[in-house]
Amino acid sequence: MMQVQNKFKKKSNTLKFALVGNPNSGKTTLFNQLTGSTQYVGNWPGVTVEKKEGKAKFLGQVITILDLPGIYSLSPYSPEEVITRNSLLNDPPDVIINVVDSTNIERNLYLTTQISEFGIPIVLALNMIDIFRKRGDVVLLEELEQKFGVFVIPISASKSEGLKELISRAIYVSKQKNNTAFKNFYEADIGQTIEKIEKIISQAKNEKFGSARWSAVKIFEDDPLALKSVKLNEAQASKIASLKNSIKTSRNVDRQIMVADQRYKYICNACSKAIKRKCALETETFSDKIDKILTHRILALPIFLLFIFVIFNATFGQFGNFFKEKVEWFVNNPFALLFSDILDKTGASVWTKSLVLDGIIKGVGVAACFLPQIIILFSLLSLLEDSGYMSRCAFIMDKLLRKMGLSGRSFVPMLMGFGCTVPAVMSTRTIECEKTKLATIFVIPFMSCSAKMIIYSLMVPVFFNDNQPLIIFSLYLIGIAVAVLSAIILKNTVSKDTSSSFIMELPPYRMPTFKSLFIHVWERVKDFLKRAGTVLAGCSVVVWFLRSFDFNLQMVQDSQSSILAGVATFIAPIFTPCGFGNWRASVALMAGLAAKESVVSTMAVLYGAGDSVKLSEAICAAFSKASAFSFMTFVLLYTPCIAAVSAIRREFHNPKWTALAVCYQLLIAWVVSIMVFLIGNLFF
Ligand code: GDP
Ligand code: MG
């Protein structure tokens, strides 16, 4: 084993450990356990696109932990690889904690062979050891440690096992001198050639690329980035060229393939000695059995739709409504009464009372009633996601999406769009093909986000009491249909010839954990509460003010003569063909630009109706069945909130495109709701 000076060594007291490993190996789970934070964990590859930093404390020592995007190789070609590699180069950690999925160890170790050459000391966290042991498999740790020249610590990130030992080992390694030892993974002649190249390179200038060993391997592979970063003089270059050629003549394959092949051979050999499997690898696993049904050629799609329908039924049917009514009662009775009591006792003026009770509590309270449904919907979606089912869906959908100019890679971002457009748009960064990425961003806003759901939950029971889940389901379907249509239009106009291949491995089915379910749901709830406290409350106050005062700033009795009515009456006629040309509806839609929940809270303020019974009555009077459906369709399709638009602009890198997307959304919303209104009038 060769000892090489750690090129990246730096002097500082605080330690920094980076988590590096394949996608879905459990890095974020480990990160959350170590730092006590609640980052998004998902049972599909590509969940973590950005690096995340957190602090952990161990025996008084503060350690910075870095959660990096999952990668299969250190060559910076996919967006994840670029982020991870650049982070390792520009701000090298003291130790890399290489997270390896023990249930898929051969493939995971491929990355290990690369990072162990990179020049940063590593310890190997053999994760998911709980599943590994349950299978009855055994690992000879010493054998593995010896083969790869690193410490191997079996852990279970989700069960919090072995974490102390892992961290103390990592600290130990960080304190060692000469702690980056390279194993030779190559057969005699290749190994010797790489060593010779390494010697030459260690005398040359190397601009941020990695250790001399790593550069040597990469130069041996003719990696263009390596050739650019390592400054060779002519003599060195020709020496290396002749070294490379000596290998080329004896073997008949591309050198890059040759190196990969050598790594795999080494891994196979090592694992055959270090891992004792109870069953042979080839036997059909539990996951394979389930997959036979769930990804069946014909059954897959109906099963998917069935799952989604069940989820909708639970959320918007009796089960969800029961909880909604409970919260509603609480907000309107004990809660509002308490405030009105306090205001009476403190002798608040009429208009302060009106501001608090009619403005803030009505506006925010009405929206809050829908929290139980948000919780139910996202708990159920999270179960599907965490079990690994959603990754299958990406596969099922790939062929279909491809026909529309999207790809299987677009599926996860689109699905996230049902939660919130902002993270959904951000997650398109994992899409390598630029055109597919743009098309995906373009269609995400048509996926009905959780805030829009609140509007449906308010209006649907009023007009379509008998088949609520069905009507809401149909709204989601309209959104999806418009998305599909838009993608097809886009494909045939702007982004012709999209053909990025879709490579995503299927994670095994796993038992969802309560913790990750909690994180998913909390994410939505937190987001809602944050907005309720800021945008919703603010919007409600502004709307309350504009509808309570006239142009002379006199408080008005009838909001019909308020400032708001005056202004909105101008806009309202635009919506007459859609069936909701009244000024209150127009104001609600405008408020919806700040946050979609504001549509409901604004209506509550405008109709002066605190509890949803009164609000329902007011809405019942203001809309017909057809115009209510058309209104919901407009809400579904028109421009998402400001936060989403700015996320879209960030990813588009182009204001013109963003403006175009916004105009398109407005236009399509207008046209489709007119159509819905006309058709609705025939049927309802
Ligand atoms: P990442 O892509 O590497 O960040 O992986 P995640 O942290 O998102 O985890 C992927 C999946 O593996 C999630 O469903 C986790 O709940 C699950 N998981 C992570 N660690 C363990 C473990 O030690 N045991 C088991 N059984 N599951 C785990
Ligand atoms: Mg992750």
Side-chain angles (χ1 to χ4, degrees), residues 533-574:
T534 53
V535 187
L536 285 195
C539 240
S540 302
V541 169
V542 171
V543 172
W544 166 84
F545 175 79
L546 293 177
R547 71 112 217 190
S548 303
F549 293 85
D550 62 14
F551 283 105
N552 302 321
L553 295 186
Q554 296 296 316
M555 212 165 172
V556 293
Q557 286 302 318
D558 181 4
S559 55
Q560 197 69 49
S561 43
S562 64
I563 303 178
L564 203 52
V567 178
T569 315
F570 273 111
I571 302 164
I574 300 174

Side-chain angles (χ1 to χ4, degrees), residues 357-574:
L357 295 177
D358 302 338
I360 299 171
I361 295 194
K362 247 169 225 172
V364 178
V366 162
C369 297
F370 300 99
L371 254 181
Q373 288 174 323
I374 294 182
I375 293 174
I376 296 170
L377 180 65
F378 287 97
S379 303
L380 294 175
L381 281 180
S382 158
L383 289 182
L384 283 195
E385 184 185 322
D386 236 26
S387 63
Y389 177 64
M390 286 304 187
S391 312
R392 269 78 184 172
C393 295
F395 263 99
I396 300 167
M397 300 292 171
D398 183 54
K399 224 167 140 193
L400 210 68
L401 288 168
R402 209 166 276 278
K403 287 202 181 112
M404 299 158 20
L406 303 168
S407 90
R409 278 252 179 189
S410 320
F411 181 77
V412 172
M414 284 165 73
L415 196 81
M416 285 171 98
F418 288 120
C420 175
T421 310
V422 177
V425 166
M426 273 167 63
S427 72
T428 57
R429 282 180 207 167
T430 51
I431 302 174
E432 277 142 74
C433 169
E434 193 65 13
K435 282 174 179 168
T436 313
K437 178 183 158 177
L438 290 183
T440 310
I441 295 176
F442 207 79
V443 303
I444 285 174
F446 299 123
M447 304 288 123
S448 185
C449 78
S450 65
K452 295 174 188 168
M453 185 184 113
I454 293 180
I455 301 154
Y456 316 148
S457 316
L458 170 75
M459 297 186 90
V460 170
V462 178
F463 294 99
F464 308 95
N465 197 18
D466 296 337
N467 29 24
Q468 296 184 33
L470 194 73
I471 292 287
I472 296 183
F473 194 48
S474 72
L475 279 163
Y476 276 75
L477 285 184
I478 292 177
I480 295 170
V482 169
V484 170
L485 198 78
S486 310
I488 292 174
I489 293 174
L490 210 61
K491 185 187 174 196
N492 291 317
T493 52
V494 207
S495 65
K496 280 179 190 154
D497 69 81
T498 45
S499 57
S500 77
S501 65
F502 177 53
I503 313 165
M504 182 169 114
E505 69 176 303
L506 289 184
Y509 285 102
R510 292 202 179 105
M511 202 62 195
T513 63
F514 181 74
K515 183 161 180 183
S516 110
L517 181 119
F518 173 79
I519 291 175
H520 285 194
V521 174
W522 176 236
E523 192 132 302
R524 292 271 72 78
V525 172
K526 192 175 67 185
D527 188 57
F528 173 80
L529 293 179
K530 236 191 333 211
R531 283 200 288 179
T534 53
V535 187
L536 285 195
C539 240
S540 302
V541 169
V542 171
V543 172
W544 166 84
F545 175 79
L546 293 177
R547 71 112 217 190
S548 303
F549 293 85
D550 62 14
F551 283 105
N552 302 321
L553 295 186
Q554 296 296 316
M555 212 165 172
V556 293
Q557 286 302 318
D558 181 4
S559 55
Q560 197 69 49
S561 43
S562 64
I563 303 178
L564 203 52
V567 178
T569 315
F570 273 111
I571 302 164
I574 300 174

Side-chain angles (χ1 to χ4, degrees), residues 35-73:
T35 61
S37 74
T38 49
Q39 288 301 333
Y40 204 91
V41 176
N43 194 5
W44 61 44
V47 172
T48 314
V49 229
E50 290 175 307
K51 60 173 183 181
K52 297 267 163 48
E53 233 182 75
K55 294 252 184 285
K57 224 171 164 185
F58 189 78
L59 299 177
Q61 165 99 46
V62 177
I63 304 160
T64 307
I65 310 269
L66 213 59
D67 182 22
L68 294 171
I71 52 171
Y72 296 108
S73 111

Side-chain angles (χ1 to χ4, degrees), residues 209-223:
F209 192 76
S211 68
R213 157 61 67 121
W214 176 246
S215 309
V217 175
K218 283 313 202 186
I219 284 196
F220 180 75
E221 288 180 351
D222 294 322
D223 181 90

